[in-house]
Amino acid sequence: MDTRTPAHDHSPWLPFESRRRARDEKREAVLRTAVQLFLEQGYHRATLNEVADRLNITKPALYNYFRSKEDILFECWTIGQERVEDRIAEIEAFRESGLATLRMLVRAYAVIMASTFGASLVRFNAADLTEANQKVTLAGKRRIDRAFRKAIKQGIADGSIKSCDVKLTAFAILGALNWIGHWYKPDGALSPDQIADDFAVRLTADIAKRSPAIRPQKKLPATKSSGTVRNTRKK
Amino acid sequence: MDTRTPAHDHSPWLPFESRRRARDEKREAVLRTAVQLFLEQGYHRATLNEVADRLNITKPALYNYFRSKEDILFECWTIGQERVEDRIAEIEAFRESGLATLRMLVRAYAVIMASTFGASLVRFNAADLTEANQKVTLAGKRRIDRAFRKAIKQGIADGSIKSCDVKLTAFAILGALNWIGHWYKPDGALSPDQIADDFAVRLTADIAKRSPAIRPQKKLPATKSSGTVRNTRKK
Amino acid sequence: MDTRTPAHDHSPWLPFESRRRARDEKREAVLRTAVQLFLEQGYHRATLNEVADRLNITKPALYNYFRSKEDILFECWTIGQERVEDRIAEIEAFRESGLATLRMLVRAYAVIMASTFGASLVRFNAADLTEANQKVTLAGKRRIDRAFRKAIKQGIADGSIKSCDVKLTAFAILGALNWIGHWYKPDGALSPDQIADDFAVRLTADIAKRSPAIRPQKKLPATKSSGTVRNTRKK
Amino acid sequence: MDTRTPAHDHSPWLPFESRRRARDEKREAVLRTAVQLFLEQGYHRATLNEVADRLNITKPALYNYFRSKEDILFECWTIGQERVEDRIAEIEAFRESGLATLRMLVRAYAVIMASTFGASLVRFNAADLTEANQKVTLAGKRRIDRAFRKAIKQGIADGSIKSCDVKLTAFAILGALNWIGHWYKPDGALSPDQIADDFAVRLTADIAKRSPAIRPQKKLPATKSSGTVRNTRKK
DNA sequence: TATGAATGAGGATTCATTCAT
DNA sequence: AATGAATGAATCCTCATTCAT
């Protein structure tokens, strides 16, 4: 219980080390550790004590950065959500055909799902959040849904996608994608990018109007799957 | 807290009513109520007290039928799993082509996913189970995976399915199916059967070798989506 | 839990057997089983369920013979106590010298301590009894104490025992005797009678006035160490 | 129930008082209070709530110092056991004759038996401990037994003790001593030292070879019968 | 007389959270 | 900014006991 484990991930509180890193860096470290633990054991089984232990700090110290356990959970979700929405915005800005947009969405979303914060989007239980936060997550999910549906609709309109039931099509695609958050293991045979490339074709093959050949993708700035956590600070 | 709510579902313990129903019927009622509650609130937030309240009994009475909360959770999962495996066995017995088998699997699995016990397969967290039971669930998941992969492989062999990456194909299909357990609401526009029919085509369209027209399905005994709970008794 | 163990001791409810034995015999069987279990596991750890299981009956059936668990405990104690008091009465009736009486007391008490009901006198905790019953047990203990002290005093008076502190002498002797209830195991090297014979000399050697040779004991009716339980019935 | 009793013994948590005492002091206070309560009411009847109440703290606070109720029980036992073993070691170091050693053992053990932690050695039920801890206590009991037997054997060898059955002799002596833990009351007529002095002679008189005159005892450091509790900390 | 089913009371334990230092 | 200590709330589970049959 009291034995500090030798710093699990990469902890800014490494003992005997300078502890003057910036506040945000620590906040971020807490989130990284927490999301990891929540995914491993589930939100309820994971205790703040273990989060703290892995960071070589004590439980109350966490309260300098977060108001509550639920707050941490929500922030983890928020990070994943923001990543997705950022990519959606980028992709939509390209104003490509419906099919091309859809494929970019699939690709980007697949990569995110293979990250911890991405997986948290589908593996955390909204019922564990405040009612207020539940609404936020619900709205987030809807925005993602809408983005996929919009691309499909647009594709039908611009002729790149066959006519189909938009809602069910989106569900099927998102389902296959979300499932990645459950089965992907970093030490598996396929890299996130490989999975993403495959799914971009696979999940759109049946509704693509013409040749399923992938058009050379626009070079997007690589998704920093384990990138910097945005500072969403304790209010 | 103590006020007996007016019997949520259909409770064999309706107060001031004949209490002579069979033991198994009660066991079943507990499971139905529990799975419902677990899905609504999550396993940890749901308390046995509320399960009991909804059944118009007291908490300790539950222990006549189950050894522990975890036991209840596991039995819920078991019921869902058994339904799936039963259908798999039925379907495989038809010895149809790979594609036809796959489509039947998709259809059957989709319907089950739209039931509470089915959804429990993907919405419960294995980490909440005993280590021993975790192994059981893992083995169960593997058997399902194998059934889908086997159908795909067979389809490739018998020419009904295009050559493809079996593993990823199975993941994509199962992902879309499992997602049903998250989004399906009984009061939605589509019935489980409609969803199942759609997905049977949709999820196999890209890998089907020839015409995507669905062959008239073998008439299977209708899936009892809210059917009788098998008696798996307290050991 | 539900599996009836194959009748531990000797149970009048042997399954598939005639169940018409007399009520008292059953009462007695309950007590024998209970005292055994209480000694093995302690009063609180032992459950009535296990008592019942060992007797191939069900828990509520016990309530036909006893009003409560505490009632059973008290009756066990009572049986042991009565055995002791019966022997004391017998021995005092001989009106032998103080030393001879003391030795007979030691002998008789030692044998009883090596029985289950005897051990229950020192291994059960009075705090587990009703206040009323605690008084009864306390009075019982006092009577035993008094018997030993009386013999010692008489011995001092009649010259068979050296002058000594009566109270401490009695404590020392009773302590050594009571301890038998803790260490005696039926499968040990020494029989209760051997222990009793030894202690009769050993515990009186230092206070005996003359030769430590034991005078040939009056032939007492043999103590039925596992003998019939007296009927002290549910009132 | 919730009314804080006015601090039973001497509590480091006296309300509205400085709470800066050392952790070990508190641990010790818990043990002192617990052993007292366990002796008064028995382990099972005693609740952690009452332990906490007597210390003017709340139940969960106890878990800062101990892992479980059983842990507390075991530590109480350990303290008593260590006291005994310490004295045994001291006494054996004198390398006196068998008889002298035996008398010192009796004396020291008697004094300890008249203390709460000492009494806990014979009044707690091993069945209430973890299997692992049961083994520890069993081993402890054996070591004490061995010490007494060793002294007796040595006495027979060096001629200070008459030939006798070593095992039974040890049982008789230890029985008389252990019984002290049951009858001794601090407000009685005799002090622990007086009892100890008496028993040292009394329990060895019959086996002492020559004059029963006690040899002037080696001056041992006074037994701290209610002395400081050793720090055996939460692991 | 015996039982299956149910209950009420209670206790240990966990853990997020707070507070004084 | 961080901690040790403490708390309060909650939950699971056990078990003696009762009751209708």
Side-chain angles (χ1 to χ4, degrees):
Chain A
M1 261 278 130
D2 247 338
T3 58
R4 295 291 162 72
T5 57
H8 244 259
D9 230 33
H10 184 69
S11 161
W13 287 272
L14 282 174
F16 316 114
E17 234 205 38
S18 151
R19 303 192 172 193
R20 330 280 174 85
R21 308 280 177 88
R23 170 187 180 80
D24 287 347
E25 202 174 334
K26 294 186 189 165
R27 238 186 93 87
E28 194 182 314
V30 172
L31 289 175
R32 269 202 305 267
T33 304
V35 78
Q36 187 71 37
L37 197 61
F38 291 170
L39 289 177
E40 284 172 23
Q41 318 194 341
Y43 174 65
H44 285 97
R45 300 190 89 79
T47 73
L48 290 189
N49 245 328
E50 182 155 4
V51 173
D53 275 0
R54 289 195 179 181
L55 289 164
N56 288 109
I57 59 172
T58 58
K59 187 166 44 169
L62 297 174
Y63 285 81
N64 286 322
Y65 306 102
F66 302 93
R67 276 191 310 270
S68 67
K69 193 186 184 189
E70 188 263 355
D71 194 16
I72 296 179
L73 182 69
F74 180 61
E75 293 270 12
C76 290
W77 178 88
T78 300
I79 289 170
Q81 182 70 16
E82 282 182 354
R83 285 191 188 166
V84 174
E85 298 200 17
D86 286 356
R87 300 303 315 256
I88 289 175
E90 284 174 22
I91 290 165
E92 289 184 337
F94 287 127
R95 308 200 148 278
E96 291 269 354
S97 75
L99 179 62
T101 301
L102 181 59
R103 284 180 171 158
M104 286 191 285
L105 287 175
V106 169
R107 210 196 167 287
Y109 194 85
V111 170
I112 293 174
M113 267 305 124
S115 73
T116 45
F117 287 108
S120 75
L121 289 182
V122 294
R123 290 184 42 197
F124 291 168
N125 190 344
D128 292 327
L129 294 172
T130 307
E131 199 146 349
N133 285 341
Q134 284 187 38
K135 279 182 194 158
V136 177
T137 61
L138 195 58
K141 279 185 209 302
R142 285 221 190 89
R143 276 196 299 278
I144 294 175
D145 235 35
R146 257 202 309 270
F148 277 79
R149 294 187 191 183
K150 196 170 103 185
I152 296 167
K153 274 184 220 156
Q154 185 198 329
I156 295 174
D158 68 22
S160 59
I161 291 178
K162 293 178 196 161
S163 172
C164 62
D165 181 319
V166 175
K167 208 176 99 186
L168 278 183
T169 303
F171 274 153
I173 292 175
L174 274 164
L177 288 170
N178 287 331
W179 193 236
I180 296 172
H182 284 93
W183 60 259
Y184 175 74
K185 297 285 179 298
D187 50 350
L190 293 172
S191 74
D193 277 327
Q194 290 174 309
I195 295 165
D197 285 337
D198 180 283
F199 271 39
V201 183
R202 177 185 304 281
L203 303 182
T204 59
D206 58 327
I207 56 169
K209 202 64 158 286
R210 284 164 297 158
S211 118
I214 325 168
R215 302 176 26 181
Q217 239 192 95
K218 274 273 184 340
K219 211 51 190 168
L220 298 181
T223 304
K224 296 151 300 182
S225 65
S226 56
T228 305
V229 172
R230 292 267 231 88
N231 174 24
T232 56
R233 95 188 31 163
K234 190 172 177 179
K235 292 133 232 168
Chain B
M1 273 284 132
D2 246 340
T3 59
R4 294 294 162 71
T5 57
H8 244 258
D9 231 32
H10 183 68
S11 161
W13 289 272
L14 282 175
F16 314 116
E17 236 204 38
S18 152
R19 303 191 173 192
R20 338 265 178 95
R21 309 285 176 84
R23 172 184 183 82
D24 287 348
E25 202 174 335
K26 294 187 188 166
R27 236 187 94 90
E28 194 182 315
V30 172
L31 289 176
R32 269 202 304 267
T33 304
V35 78
Q36 188 69 37
L37 197 61
F38 291 170
L39 289 177
E40 283 172 23
Q41 319 195 341
Y43 175 66
H44 285 98
R45 301 190 89 81
T47 72
L48 290 189
N49 244 329
E50 183 154 4
V51 173
D53 275 358
R54 289 194 178 181
L55 290 165
N56 288 108
I57 58 171
T58 59
K59 190 165 40 171
L62 297 174
Y63 286 84
N64 282 328
Y65 307 100
F66 302 94
R67 277 189 309 271
S68 67
K69 194 186 183 189
E70 189 262 354
D71 194 19
I72 296 179
L73 182 69
F74 180 63
E75 294 268 14
C76 290
W77 179 89
T78 300
I79 289 171
Q81 181 70 18
E82 282 182 355
R83 286 192 188 166
V84 174
E85 300 200 15
D86 286 354
R87 299 306 311 262
I88 289 176
E90 284 173 22
I91 291 166
E92 290 184 337
F94 287 126
R95 309 199 148 276
E96 292 270 352
S97 75
L99 179 61
T101 300
L102 180 60
R103 283 181 171 159
M104 287 191 283
L105 287 175
V106 169
R107 213 198 163 285
Y109 195 85
V111 169
I112 292 174
M113 268 302 125
S115 71
T116 44
F117 287 109
S120 75
L121 289 183
V122 293
R123 290 182 45 196
F124 290 169
N125 190 344
D128 291 328
L129 294 172
T130 306
E131 200 145 349
N133 285 342
Q134 284 188 37
K135 278 184 196 159
V136 177
T137 61
L138 195 59
K141 280 185 208 303
R142 285 221 190 90
R143 276 196 299 276
I144 295 176
D145 236 35
R146 257 202 308 269
F148 277 79
R149 293 187 191 182
K150 194 170 106 186
I152 296 168
K153 274 185 221 155
Q154 183 200 329
I156 296 174
D158 68 22
S160 60
I161 291 178
K162 292 180 197 162
S163 172
C164 63
D165 181 321
V166 174
K167 209 177 97 184
L168 278 182
T169 303
F171 274 152
I173 292 174
L174 274 165
L177 289 170
N178 287 331
W179 193 234
I180 295 172
H182 284 92
W183 60 259
Y184 175 76
K185 296 287 178 297
D187 50 350
L190 294 172
S191 73
D193 277 329
Q194 289 174 310
I195 296 166
D197 285 336
D198 180 285
F199 272 39
V201 184
R202 179 185 304 281
L203 303 183
T204 58
D206 58 328
I207 56 169
K209 201 74 160 274
R210 284 164 296 157
S211 126
I214 327 169
R215 308 188 8 196
Q217 241 194 95
K218 274 266 179 348
K219 214 47 189 174
L220 296 182
T223 304
K224 300 149 297 182
S225 65
S226 56
T228 304
V229 173
R230 293 270 229 84
N231 174 23
T232 58
R233 93 188 32 152
K234 190 170 178 182
K235 293 134 230 168
Chain C
M1 270 276 133
D2 247 339
T3 57
R4 294 294 163 70
T5 58
H8 245 258
D9 231 32
H10 184 69
S11 162
W13 288 271
L14 282 175
F16 315 115
E17 235 205 39
S18 150
R19 302 191 174 194
R20 329 281 174 86
R21 311 282 178 88
R23 170 187 180 82
D24 287 348
E25 203 174 335
K26 293 186 188 166
R27 235 185 96 88
E28 194 182 315
V30 172
L31 289 175
R32 270 202 305 267
T33 304
V35 77
Q36 188 70 37
L37 197 60
F38 291 171
L39 289 177
E40 282 173 25
Q41 318 194 341
Y43 175 65
H44 285 97
R45 300 190 90 79
T47 72
L48 290 190
N49 245 328
E50 183 155 2
V51 173
D53 275 359
R54 290 195 179 183
L55 289 164
N56 287 107
I57 58 172
T58 60
K59 188 164 46 168
L62 297 174
Y63 285 82
N64 285 323
Y65 306 102
F66 302 93
R67 276 190 310 271
S68 67
K69 192 187 184 189
E70 189 262 355
D71 195 17
I72 297 179
L73 182 69
F74 180 62
E75 293 269 13
C76 290
W77 178 89
T78 299
I79 290 170
Q81 182 70 18
E82 282 182 355
R83 287 192 187 165
V84 174
E85 298 200 17
D86 285 355
R87 300 305 313 258
I88 289 176
E90 285 173 21
I91 290 166
E92 289 183 339
F94 288 126
R95 308 198 148 277
E96 292 268 353
S97 74
L99 179 61
T101 301
L102 180 60
R103 282 181 173 157
M104 286 190 285
L105 287 175
V106 169
R107 212 196 163 286
Y109 194 85
V111 170
I112 292 173
M113 269 302 124
S115 73
T116 45
F117 287 108
S120 77
L121 290 182
V122 293
R123 289 183 44 196
F124 290 170
N125 190 343
D128 292 328
L129 294 172
T130 307
E131 202 148 344
N133 285 342
Q134 285 187 37
K135 278 184 195 155
V136 177
T137 61
L138 195 60
K141 279 185 209 305
R142 284 223 190 88
R143 275 196 300 277
I144 294 175
D145 236 35
R146 255 203 310 270
F148 277 79
R149 292 188 193 182
K150 195 170 105 185
I152 296 167
K153 273 186 221 155
Q154 186 200 328
I156 296 173
D158 68 22
S160 60
I161 291 177
K162 291 180 197 161
S163 171
C164 64
D165 181 319
V166 175
K167 208 177 99 186
L168 278 183
T169 302
F171 273 152
I173 292 173
L174 275 166
L177 290 169
N178 287 330
W179 193 234
I180 295 171
H182 284 92
W183 60 259
Y184 174 75
K185 296 286 177 298
D187 50 351
L190 294 171
S191 74
D193 278 327
Q194 289 173 310
I195 296 165
D197 286 336
D198 181 285
F199 271 39
V201 183
R202 177 185 304 283
L203 301 182
T204 57
D206 57 328
I207 56 169
K209 202 73 158 272
R210 281 165 299 158
S211 124
I214 325 170
R215 305 185 16 190
Q217 241 194 93
K218 276 264 170 13
K219 213 51 189 171
L220 298 182
T223 303
K224 299 150 298 184
S225 64
S226 57
T228 305
V229 172
R230 293 268 231 84
N231 174 23
T232 57
R233 96 187 30 159
K234 191 170 176 183
K235 292 134 230 167
Chain D
M1 274 282 133
D2 244 340
T3 58
R4 293 292 160 71
T5 57
H8 244 259
D9 231 31
H10 183 68
S11 161
W13 288 273
L14 284 174
F16 315 116
E17 236 204 37
S18 152
R19 302 191 174 194
R20 338 262 178 94
R21 310 284 177 85
R23 173 183 182 80
D24 287 347
E25 202 174 335
K26 292 185 188 165
R27 237 187 92 89
E28 193 183 314
V30 172
L31 289 176
R32 269 202 304 267
T33 303
V35 78
Q36 188 70 38
L37 197 61
F38 291 171
L39 289 177
E40 282 172 24
Q41 318 194 341
Y43 175 66
H44 285 98
R45 300 190 89 79
T47 73
L48 289 190
N49 245 330
E50 183 154 3
V51 173
D53 276 358
R54 289 194 178 182
L55 290 164
N56 286 108
I57 58 173
T58 59
K59 189 166 42 170
L62 297 173
Y63 286 82
N64 282 327
Y65 306 101
F66 302 93
R67 278 189 307 271
S68 67
K69 193 186 183 190
E70 188 262 354
D71 194 17
I72 296 180
L73 182 69
F74 180 62
E75 294 269 11
C76 290
W77 179 88
T78 300
I79 290 171
Q81 181 71 17
E82 282 182 355
R83 285 192 188 164
V84 174
E85 298 200 15
D86 286 354
R87 299 305 313 261
I88 289 175
E90 282 174 24
I91 289 165
E92 290 185 337
F94 287 127
R95 310 199 146 275
E96 292 269 352
S97 75
L99 179 61
T101 300
L102 180 60
R103 283 180 170 158
M104 287 191 283
L105 287 175
V106 169
R107 213 198 163 285
Y109 194 85
V111 170
I112 291 173
M113 267 305 124
S115 72
T116 44
F117 287 109
S120 75
L121 289 182
V122 294
R123 289 183 43 197
F124 290 169
N125 191 344
D128 291 327
L129 294 172
T130 306
E131 201 147 347
N133 285 342
Q134 285 188 36
K135 278 184 195 159
V136 177
T137 60
L138 195 59
K141 279 185 209 303
R142 285 224 189 89
R143 276 195 300 277
I144 294 176
D145 236 35
R146 258 204 307 270
F148 277 79
R149 293 187 191 182
K150 194 171 105 184
I152 295 167
K153 275 186 220 155
Q154 185 200 329
I156 295 173
D158 66 24
S160 59
I161 291 178
K162 291 179 199 162
S163 173
C164 63
D165 181 319
V166 174
K167 208 176 100 184
L168 277 184
T169 303
F171 273 153
I173 292 174
L174 275 167
L177 289 169
N178 286 331
W179 192 237
I180 296 173
H182 284 94
W183 59 259
Y184 175 75
K185 295 287 177 298
D187 49 351
L190 295 171
S191 74
D193 276 327
Q194 289 174 310
I195 296 165
D197 286 336
D198 181 284
F199 271 39
V201 183
R202 178 186 304 281
L203 303 182
T204 57
D206 59 327
I207 56 169
K209 199 69 158 277
R210 283 161 302 155
S211 120
I214 327 169
R215 302 179 22 183
Q217 238 190 94
K218 272 273 189 323
K219 212 50 189 171
L220 298 183
T223 304
K224 301 148 296 181
S225 65
S226 58
T228 306
V229 173
R230 294 268 229 86
N231 174 23
T232 56
R233 95 188 31 158
K234 192 172 177 181
K235 291 136 236 165

